[in-house]
Structures are given as structure tokens and as C-alpha cells.
């Protein structure tokens, strides 16, 4: 084989490999960003779930999720009256969680607000004295 053609073949192979690696890197970053999406707040009427749970604050979590552990710890530290439903170990928890049509954890629910994901500032804002009415469902 001609040495020039061999060299061109090597260059094109290298360029193709670099292009594939760049595409994989871009795709990987996109996937990671979608997996660690920012917490989302959604207003609505969640009073039936809160009433069924018997607590003003409901946390849907899993036993293995690090963000769920942070959410639990924050609620405990703030001494917020709450209940935790572990959707990975309880059929009843999964059924109640299913009514939210959520697809990730943690999900914090009050009578009027749902926070999907863990955001300490949003939790504190909702659950401090200024947000107590929102958490309890009072007008």
C-alpha cells in the first residue's frame, strides 16, 4: 500500500475516533444533567394525600437515595411534623406515590405544594414560620 494512503487512512481513523469520543462525551453530559435535574416546585391541591398521610408534610423517598437522606435529616433538624413513605419497600407508599405521577425522589408534599428533588433553600422557605400556612394547608 502506498505510504501516503496509509498515512491518510491513519489520519481519518484518528479523526473518526475523536468525533465518536466527543459525541459520547456530549451524550454522557446530557444524561448526567437529566439525572440530576434541578428541584421543581409545583402548586396544586395535594390535600387528599396530606389528609391520608395524617401529617402536614409528606416525604416520598427511597432507602438508598442520598438526596432523600438529606431531606429526612433536614426535616428532622427543623423538627417539622412529617411522615416519610419509602416507595422502595412499601406497597402502600408506592400506591400513594403513584397518585402524584412523579418519576423521581425525594418528593416533598404539603397541602398546596410539591417539591420534586432536594433543595434545602426551598424546603426551608416552605417550612419556616413564613411558609407554615402553606405547609399546613391553612389559608
Amino acid at each position: 500500500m502506498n505510504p501516503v494512503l496509509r498515512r491518510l487512512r491513519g489520519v481519518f481513523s484518528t479523526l473518526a475516533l475523536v468525533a465518536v469520543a466527543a459525541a459520547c462525551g456530549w451524550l454522557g453530559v446530557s444524561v448526567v444533567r437529566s439525572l440530576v435535574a434541578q428541584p421543581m416546585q409545583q402548586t396544586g391541591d395535594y390535600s387528599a394525600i396530606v389528609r391520608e398521610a395524617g401529617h402536614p408534610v409528606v416525604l416520598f423517598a427511597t432507602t438508598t437515595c442520598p438526596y432523600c437522606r438529606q431531606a429526612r435529616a433536614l426535616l428532622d433538624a427543623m423538627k417539622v411534623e412529617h411522615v416519610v413513605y419509602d416507595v422502595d419497600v412499601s406497597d402502600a407508599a408506592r400506591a400513594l406515590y403513584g397518585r402524584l405521577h412523579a418519576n423521581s425522589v425525594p418528593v416533598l408534599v404539603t397541602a398546596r405544594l410539591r417539591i420534586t428533588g432536594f433543595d434545602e433553600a426551598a424546603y426551608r422557605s416552605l417550612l419556616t414560620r413564613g411558609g407554615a400556612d402553606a405547609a399546613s394547608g391553612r389559608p
Side-chain angles (χ1 to χ4, degrees):
M1 180 182 246
N2 185 336
V4 173
L5 289 177
R6 189 176 312 145
R7 180 168 279 197
L8 282 176
R9 183 176 166 188
V11 168
F12 286 128
S13 297
T14 302
L15 288 175
L17 184 61
V18 168
V20 167
C24 289
W26 175 81
L27 180 63
V29 168
S30 297
V31 168
V32 168
R33 282 187 182 152
S34 72
L35 292 175
V36 278
Q38 293 298 315
M40 180 181 73
Q41 294 187 29
Q42 186 175 13
T43 59
D45 183 7
Y46 304 106
S47 58
I49 290 174
V50 169
R51 193 170 35 257
E52 189 170 326
H55 294 274
V57 176
V58 181
L59 180 68
F60 291 95
T62 64
T63 55
T64 58
C65 167
Y67 298 108
C68 298
R69 280 194 290 277
Q70 290 177 333
R72 290 173 204 256
L74 181 62
L75 292 174
D76 290 341
M78 292 179 68
K79 300 187 184 334
V80 172
E81 181 186 345
H82 69 283
V83 63
V84 177
Y85 285 103
D86 287 316
V87 298
D88 60 339
V89 295
S90 166
D91 291 337
R94 253 188 313 280
L96 197 55
Y97 174 77
R99 290 172 36 194
L100 292 171
H101 304 288
N103 60 5
S104 63
V105 290
V107 178
L108 181 115
V109 177
T110 67
R112 295 190 208 148
L113 185 71
R114 160 181 152 177
I115 301 174
T116 303
F118 178 68
D119 181 347
E120 183 174 344
Y123 278 35
R124 286 187 182 279
S125 174
L126 174 66
L127 301 171
T128 57
R129 181 51 60 197
D133 290 338
S136 70
R138 291 180 299 229

